[in-house]
Structure formats: structure tokens, C-alpha cells
Amino acid sequence: MPKHLHIILIICLFSLLASSQDKNIFCNQLQALHNTVKKHHYQPKTINDSLSSHVYDLFLKSLDEDKRLFTKEDLKTFELDRYELDNYIEHNICFFIEKYTTTLSQRIETSKAILNDLRDETFDYSGKDTLRFKPESTFRYLKNEAAMKTYWSKRTRYNILYTLVENDSVLKHIKGDFKAREAELKPKLIQKEICQLEELQNRLGSVDNFVKEAFLNAYLHYQDPNSSFFNPTEKEMFENSLSNDQYSFGIITAKNDNGDIIIAHITPGSAAFNHGDFEVNDIIKSMRSDTEILETYCVSNQDVLAFTSNQNHHTMTFKIKKQNGTVKDIELTKTVTKIEENTVSGYIIESKSKMGYINITSFYSDFESPNGLGLANDVAKELYKLQKENIEGLILDLRFNGGGSMKEAIDLSGMFINRGPLSILKYSNGETTTIKDLNRGALFSKPIVVLVNNYSASASEFFAAAMQDYNRAIIVGATTHGKASAQVILPLAQDESLGYSKLTVEKFYRVTGKSHQSQGVIPDIILPSVYDDFKTQEQFEAFALQNDSIDGIRKFPKLKTLPINELKKRSQNRITNDIYFKAIQELNQLIIDNYFQIDTEYLLTLDNVYREMTSYRNQWKTINQPIEAHESNFMVKNSAFTKEVVSYNEDQKLINEALLKDIKQDIYIEEAQAILQDLLNLNPLN
């Protein structure tokens, strides 16, 4: 059928259904989103077949990322839409979404039925079947329902063997009581899979809501990876993630694709943040209060939130599984964290010289305050305390800093330069404006080292780039994420009934006119990172904005060129044969081989699963041992002011001791300190 006739038929059908479609909020959302993107996005994409095809792929991936639900037969039906979505968007045709909702619901029910049938099936662990492990990019959709049954059977058997080995590292013990352990574990893991599917059914309230919002996000993610759709709850959660004013543990949880409850965000200045033993992507295995315990088998994230929010659960013990496989019990007590309070702390590192150290985890701000005081104000207060201690230099740690408020990044940059332009903003219409430091004078004029890594992004990159362009600091670490765009949250209607779009509306450039978009800020001195070649930076995101440049500012009051080459040479001499950085490189390769580039297969037996697991675990333990045992030669302590404050609170005192220990054991802080000492010895006159 000619394409134009196909569209005419669709429009005719649409007119018959107009009365019901007018009531369909999805139609209104899609049209409002389309109009908002055309009007406000930095670089809106043309509505054509190319958009249709790419949105189609993004949409299907978001519905079934691991390709374990839809079959190849389903894809034949879906493929009819590959080059029609642009027409649906243009003509506000939205009933096409129903077949995806219906099919996904059916496949979830089919998978649940298959898993329920597995309860009564006697599993074969003799090696009759083969396990195949390949990178996610090579996953293929299952052929039919028979293939689905094979998939779920293999997956369940592997999970059982994996969990048995995880719970008991002695193979003889597992084999000696295998039948009983397997019988006990099997129904739990099957139920865990079923619960994960049920959570998908209930995500955002229903499969229907989930599918519709997945399409809205696919449309936005085709514009760029940082634009997204928010329902009112998601908007509130996003804004809260940039603010601290709650009585909580400071942990925001999420459920990953394996059904595990993970730590998705740690609020700066909170109990979890100050404790130091919690990290993003840690898995929560259980939570225990004085009166209750919650195992995270088959528990929704909403149940976890309700448990942690219970006002009677003041102190809890979290059983945490770290990313290296170790399991820890960590006791944590809720605290009240407010944005106007200090959520960064300054420390003194002392060896040949006395230096300050400040870790900045995000560029948070107080959006409710008329003064908007946030991160920059807190750093200023800590810097004041450190200068009372007569520090000779400063280390600012921006590793894992994903960004936040650009206002805070501007204010922080202005604290370390006397005056001048900081960045150039470019809007969708091509116009530019220069962001300047409006406050003359600097709060700190001594040498600075800024630590960054692969996960330093957005506002942290803004700051690092400004410091680098002004020759104000030595940037040390790994190339940053590569996000040089700014987003705003725009309502799709006058009220919140249609939701919101977080939309990319401008790009920012360095004062030189260059951009770190999809490239990252390249450190002056590069150090090996365990995250090298993970391909998590923006340049590896689909449809990321491209790197370009504009006319820069020819003259700005940058300082004297720093002795980068000499500092780099001295640093390289230290780390070339350093056992700790060598271990970092070996860990990096171990992870890449076992996760990102895995391509292996073996027979499904306990012996084979045990061998694979213990081999990885033993390699990790051996390589990581020197890093865990490392302790720097420098002394680390609090400022006199902080020491006095901490002494009044026993819990805070214990947390502070742990933080001091972490700083002393950190090999990157040690090398940053050595670089800063070299800079002091060379004594450049700026």
C-alpha cells in the first residue's frame, strides 16, 4: 500500500475515534511535548523517517532492554511503525501505543506463567545445557515461546548456582548439602523473578503508563540524552536530589534489572554520605531495625522507601553488597540535613607542607532561599577555616561529581580568580552571552590541584575548565564525562496535569571558544583509573550533542603558564612503577574482560559456575589487596574549628575518624598532594 494512502486510512480511523482520543492524556502530552521541543530545544530534530526509525529503536530498547520479553514475531508486528512514528507525531495520532501495551502485558504474563511452571520442574545441572555470556550489544530477541521457556530455565538455574556459591565459598559444603539448599533457594529466586516482572507491570501505576512515558522519553532522548520527560512525582524527586532538607538516612534507592535494590543516590551531608562506607550502585540485601527486618527478596522499591521512611526506624543496620562482591553490615542513624548547613568539610593534609583538602560531591543549591546559598557558600566557609590553619595550597576533589546548579559552579569559579569571563553560553537561535565573575577579588590565591575522574560532569566540568583556562589550577585524574549543555524543566501545560520536560536549551563553551561537549575536560596530568574504557561518557551516548567551537574571548586575565610538563614528568616517574596504580590498571582490565568484553560459554554445572565465580573473586582480592592496605605518608587532620565541633558528638566523631582514614588511604589524594608539593617547590610566580 502506498505510504500516503496508509496515512489517509489512519487519519480516517483517527477521526472516528476522535471523541475518545480527546480524552486521552497521552495524545495531549505527545502534542505538547512536540511543540515544546520545537520551540525551546537547543537543536530540535526534524520530524522525518530518520527520527521515526531512531525513536522506534530507543522505544523498544526501553521496553525490553535485555530482549527477554518480546519475540521475533512481536517485532514483525512492531516493524510496521518504524517509519510511521513521525506521521503519528505530526498528525497527533496516538492509538498506536496500545499494541505495545497489550503485547508487553501479554509477554509479562507469559514469562510469569513459565516461571511458575518451573517451580514443579526438576532442574538438570548435569551439563546438558550450555551457558553463553556475551556483551549486551549482541543480545537478540527470542524466537518464540519455546525459546522463552529455555531462557527462563537456564537463567533460573544459573541464578541458583550463583547464589549458592555467593552464600558459601566452600564447594565441598555446597555439594554436601546441595539438594536441600537448592530446594530452599529455588522458590525464592523464581519468586524474585516474578516480582521483578510484577514490578514492571506496576511501574508508574500500570503497564499502560510505563509504555506511554517510555515513548515520550524515547522521543526526547533522540533529541539528546540529557532531555527527558518527568511526571509530577519524578520532577519533585529530581528537584529534591539537588536539595537537602529532610530527616532521613540520605539514601535514595532504585531497583535494577536483576531485581536488586541498589543505592541510586547519596544526599550530600547526610548520614550515609558522612559515614563513607556507602556508594552508588551498592546492593542492599536487607535492612534491620530494633523491631523489624526487611529482606529485599521480591520487594518493590516503594516498600523499601516506606521501610526507611518509617519514623520508628531511627537506627537501622543495612546489609550491603559492594561492587567487588564483599558483603558488609553497616549501622546508620538518621539525621536532619539542611541545605543551609555545611555539607562539605575541609581537612588538613600535612607532609613537607600544610595543604587543604575539600571534597565536593555535587553543586547543590537552596532553590527556596532568597539568597540561593548552597555549595559555593559552604566551600567559602570551609576555606576560611583552612586559611586560619595557614595552608600553602589546596586540593579540590570533584571525582564522581555529576554536577548540579550552574549558579554554584559560577560562584565557586569566581572565588579563585580575581575577575574576568568564565564561559560563553550559546542559545538555539545562535546568540551568545558571556558569563562573567562579577565579584572582584579572590578568596584564595595560593596553588590549587583539582581532582576529576570519568564521572565528573556538567557543573564540575564547567569549574575545572575555567580553572584550567585561567592557569589557576592543575587538573589531575581522568578525562571527564563530557557534558557541556544546560537543561531547564518546562511544564507541558499551565498546570502539572501533562507533566514536564527536562529540556536541553543551551550549550556552554570555554572562554577560549572550545567545548568539552562529548569530549570531556582533559586533565593536565592523567592518572590511571579503574573506570578507563568503560564507555560511560557522553560521547558514547546515542544522539549526544556534537563537539564544536565558537569564537572565543581573545584576551582575558589568565595567570602565568603553570609548569605542566615538569609536573607531568615528575608524576609519571612516581606512578610508572607504583604498585598501587599498577593494581588499578589490572582491576580495570579484569572488569573489562569479565563484563564489557565477555564472550564465553561453558556447560551449566555447579563446578563450572563455581570455577568462574571464584576465579574472578580471587583475582579481584589479589589485585585489590595492596590498594586496601595502602596508607599514605602524609598526616590528615581536621581544622581546629571542625575538631571542636566533632568532639561534642560521639557518632559524628566516629564518622569523622572513618573519613580521615579514607583520605589517608586514597592513592589519588596522595598523588594530588605530591603534585601540589612539586608545584610549591617550583614556586611559579603568578
Side-chain angles (χ1 to χ4, degrees):
M1 179 185 295
K3 183 172 181 178
H4 69 280
L5 291 179
H6 180 64
I7 296 302
I8 290 172
L9 288 175
I10 290 175
I11 294 173
C12 289
L13 179 59
F14 175 74
S15 64
L16 293 173
L17 300 174
S19 60
S20 62
Q21 290 296 325
D22 286 343
K23 299 178 182 179
N24 189 335
I25 190 173
F26 175 66
C27 290
N28 297 331
Q29 287 175 319
L30 185 55
Q31 193 63 32
L33 195 63
H34 174 46
N35 293 333
T36 301
V37 167
K38 282 198 302 183
K39 184 177 181 180
H40 297 290
H41 193 274
Y42 176 79
Q43 203 170 63
K45 303 285 178 65
T46 304
I47 303 295
N48 55 19
D49 282 353
S50 177
L51 174 142
S52 182
S53 180
H54 288 307
V55 170
Y56 172 83
D57 288 332
L58 288 170
F59 178 46
L60 282 191
K61 184 177 181 181
S62 64
L63 296 183
D64 186 14
E65 186 172 5
D66 294 332
K67 299 181 179 178
R68 60 192 175 97
L69 294 174
F70 293 140
T71 65
K72 291 183 178 179
E73 287 298 316
D74 297 329
L75 268 291
K76 289 181 181 179
T77 303
F78 297 157
E79 275 291 326
L80 297 173
D81 289 333
R82 178 176 286 279
Y83 297 107
E84 300 294 351
L85 296 179
D86 56 324
N87 299 299
Y88 300 159
I89 294 169
E90 284 275 55
H91 297 288
N92 199 24
I93 299 168
C94 45
F95 61 83
F96 72 91
I97 203 76
E98 301 302 329
K99 67 181 172 187
Y100 297 93
T101 299
T102 301
T103 305
L104 181 58
S105 296
Q106 290 172 345
R107 291 308 173 204
I108 292 173
E109 287 298 335
T110 299
S111 296
K112 286 168 60 179
I114 291 171
L115 284 162
N116 272 315
D117 289 342
L118 291 178
R119 296 179 190 273
D120 300 322
E121 182 179 312
T122 301
F123 281 166
D124 184 344
Y125 300 98
S126 66
K128 178 181 177 181
D129 293 315
T130 301
L131 292 170
R132 293 180 176 84
F133 298 89
K134 293 181 178 294
E136 290 183 10
S137 59
T138 65
F139 288 179
R140 299 289 181 267
Y141 287 103
L142 300 169
K143 184 177 181 181
N144 49 36
E145 192 169 320
M148 292 176 68
K149 290 179 180 179
T150 300
Y151 167 81
W152 285 112
S153 175
K154 283 187 179 182
R155 179 184 173 103
T156 305
R157 282 179 283 165
Y158 173 75
N159 285 341
I160 289 171
L161 296 180
Y162 184 97
T163 306
L164 287 172
V165 176
E166 184 181 51
N167 292 341
D168 191 337
S169 60
V170 181
L171 182 60
K172 184 178 179 180
H173 293 170
I174 302 172
K175 286 185 173 182
D177 199 20
F178 180 81
K179 189 174 181 180
R181 294 189 187 199
E182 193 263 2
E184 180 183 2
L185 195 56
K186 180 181 175 182
K188 290 183 179 180
L189 293 184
I190 288 176
Q191 185 58 37
K192 183 178 180 180
E193 294 285 4
I194 292 173
C195 286
Q196 186 179 351
L197 291 167
E198 289 179 344
E199 186 190 356
L200 179 58
Q201 284 180 309
N202 296 316
R203 191 176 298 179
L204 301 176
S206 67
V207 173
D208 184 55
N209 289 341
F210 167 65
V211 171
K212 288 173 179 175
E213 291 199 15
F215 185 82
L216 298 176
N217 270 307
Y219 175 63
L220 283 171
H221 291 165
Y222 175 63
Q223 307 299 327
D224 78 282
N226 296 301
S227 292
S228 57
F229 172 80
F230 283 161
N231 61 43
T233 300
E234 289 167 336
K235 171 183 175 286
E236 184 177 352
M237 291 177 63
F238 176 78
E239 290 178 339
N240 286 342
S241 72
L242 301 178
S243 179
N244 309 325
D245 189 9
Q246 55 186 338
Y247 179 68
S248 70
F249 297 110
I251 294 173
I252 297 174
T253 58
K255 203 163 191 175
N256 66 17
D257 291 337
N258 294 322
D260 298 313
I261 298 294
I262 63 168
I263 296 175
H265 178 76
I266 301 173
T267 305
S270 67
F273 173 83
N274 289 330
H275 191 282
D277 253 358
F278 292 92
E279 296 177 294
V280 169
N281 291 324
D282 281 350
I283 296 173
I284 300 177
K285 306 294 287 185
S286 69
M287 295 173 289
R288 186 178 73 250
S289 68
D290 292 338
T291 57
E292 296 179 80
I293 184 169
L294 181 68
E295 300 283 351
T296 57
Y297 278 118
C298 307
V299 174
S300 71
N301 193 49
Q302 288 70 27
D303 291 331
V304 172
L305 179 61
F307 194 83
T308 55
S309 300
N310 190 317
Q311 61 181 355
N312 296 320
H313 298 165
H314 176 67
T315 298
M316 292 201 319
T317 299
F318 292 78
K319 185 178 286 295
I320 298 292
K321 180 183 177 184
K322 310 297 288 183
Q323 293 181 67
N324 63 6
T326 60
V327 178
K328 292 184 175 182
D329 283 345
I330 307 173
E331 186 177 89
L332 197 63
T333 300
K334 288 180 179 178
T335 58
V336 175
T337 308
K338 295 183 178 180
I339 192 67
E340 63 267 16
E341 292 179 356
N342 224 338
T343 57
V344 294
S345 294
Y347 301 90
I348 298 163
I349 291 174
E350 193 167 3
S351 182
K352 295 179 181 178
S353 302
K354 187 182 288 188
M355 305 169 186
Y357 169 81
I358 299 176
N359 183 25
I360 302 173
T361 59
S362 73
F363 285 81
Y364 56 86
S365 189
D366 187 348
F367 300 105
E368 302 300 324
S369 167
N371 298 320
L373 298 179
L375 179 278
N377 184 64
D378 288 352
V379 171
K381 290 189 288 185
E382 289 302 304
L383 197 53
Y384 174 79
K385 299 171 193 174
L386 291 174
Q387 291 192 94
K388 286 285 187 179
E389 305 281 346
N390 298 314
I391 59 171
E392 298 178 54
L394 178 66
I395 299 170
L396 293 172
D397 193 342
L398 272 66
R399 291 175 296 168
F400 302 103
N401 185 319
S405 167
M406 292 302 297
K407 173 187 177 299
E408 296 297 333
I410 294 166
D411 290 347
L412 187 69
S413 300
M415 287 166 49
F416 298 105
I417 66 169
N418 184 41
R419 62 181 176 85
L422 296 171
S423 180
I424 304 170
L425 280 183
K426 183 180 179 182
Y427 307 103
S428 58
N429 62 6
E431 293 183 0
T432 62
T433 186
T434 301
I435 298 176
K436 298 179 180 179
D437 171 27
L438 300 177
N439 300 313
R440 274 187 172 273
L443 293 184
F444 185 78
S445 58
K446 295 178 180 178
I448 300 173
V449 164
V450 176
L451 267 175
V452 295
N453 70 358
N454 318 66
Y455 295 95
S456 303
S458 194
S460 59
E461 293 177 284
F462 177 103
F463 174 78
M467 296 299 98
Q468 192 174 54
D469 289 337
Y470 270 84
N471 296 325
R472 183 61 191 91
I474 304 294
I475 312 302
V476 175
T479 300
T480 60
H481 181 73
K483 178 181 178 293
S485 61
Q487 290 72 40
V488 296
I489 298 178
L490 300 172
L492 298 181
Q494 290 184 347
D495 56 19
E496 64 177 26
S497 60
L498 298 183
Y500 301 82
S501 62
K502 178 168 71 76
L503 209 63
T504 297
V505 295
E506 58 198 21
K507 288 177 68 176
F508 54 88
Y509 296 78
R510 300 170 74 142
V511 290
T512 61
K514 295 181 179 179
S515 171
H516 61 261
Q517 171 63 33
S518 294
Q519 176 179 303
V521 175
I522 301 172
D524 300 309
I525 300 175
I526 296 176
L527 303 178
S529 169
V530 73
Y531 308 103
D532 286 341
D533 299 318
F534 278 20
K535 297 185 177 180
T536 55
Q537 292 99 324
E538 182 128 339
Q539 64 176 302
F540 300 107
E541 294 272 3
F543 314 113
L545 298 177
Q546 296 301 302
N547 182 272
D548 62 355
S549 60
I550 60 175
D551 291 335
I553 299 170
R554 293 185 178 181
K555 292 184 178 180
F556 56 94
K558 61 182 177 181
L559 304 179
K560 178 182 175 182
T561 301
L562 293 165
I564 302 293
N565 290 335
E566 180 60 26
L567 293 171
K568 187 185 298 184
K569 179 181 176 181
R570 295 186 185 192
S571 177
Q572 189 62 45
N573 287 339
R574 280 190 296 271
I575 69 174
T576 296
N577 298 312
D578 185 278
I579 61 171
Y580 308 112
F581 280 109
K582 182 180 179 182
I584 288 291
Q585 292 171 303
E586 290 176 354
L587 283 179
N588 169 255
Q589 193 60 51
L590 179 66
I591 295 170
I592 289 175
D593 291 344
N594 284 272
Y595 289 95
F596 296 100
Q597 296 178 0
I598 187 170
D599 189 355
T600 187
E601 61 180 55
Y602 52 82
L603 299 180
L604 203 169
T605 67
L606 173 60
D607 286 318
N608 286 339
V609 172
Y610 179 85
R611 184 188 68 251
E612 288 294 313
M613 285 184 65
T614 53
S615 173
Y616 176 78
R617 183 182 294 171
N618 290 339
Q619 287 182 75
W620 181 283
K621 185 177 180 179
T622 300
I623 296 171
N624 197 50
Q625 192 170 9
I627 300 175
E628 289 287 330
H630 171 261
E631 192 168 292
S632 302
N633 291 323
F634 59 69
M635 290 177 56
V636 56
K637 60 184 181 180
N638 300 112
S639 65
F641 179 88
T642 302
K643 186 176 181 180
E644 181 179 358
V645 171
V646 168
S647 67
Y648 298 138
N649 187 312
E650 196 61 33
D651 290 338
Q652 191 65 37
K653 187 176 180 181
L654 293 173
I655 293 171
N656 180 67
E657 288 174 357
L659 287 171
L660 293 173
K661 182 179 179 182
D662 287 343
I663 294 170
K664 191 170 177 61
Q665 289 183 324
D666 194 313
I667 62 174
Y668 291 96
I669 297 175
E670 181 179 44
E671 180 56 24
Q673 178 266 338
I675 292 169
L676 186 53
Q677 183 62 59
D678 287 340
L679 183 57
L680 290 171
N681 292 341
L682 292 169
N683 194 28
L685 300 174
N686 277 320

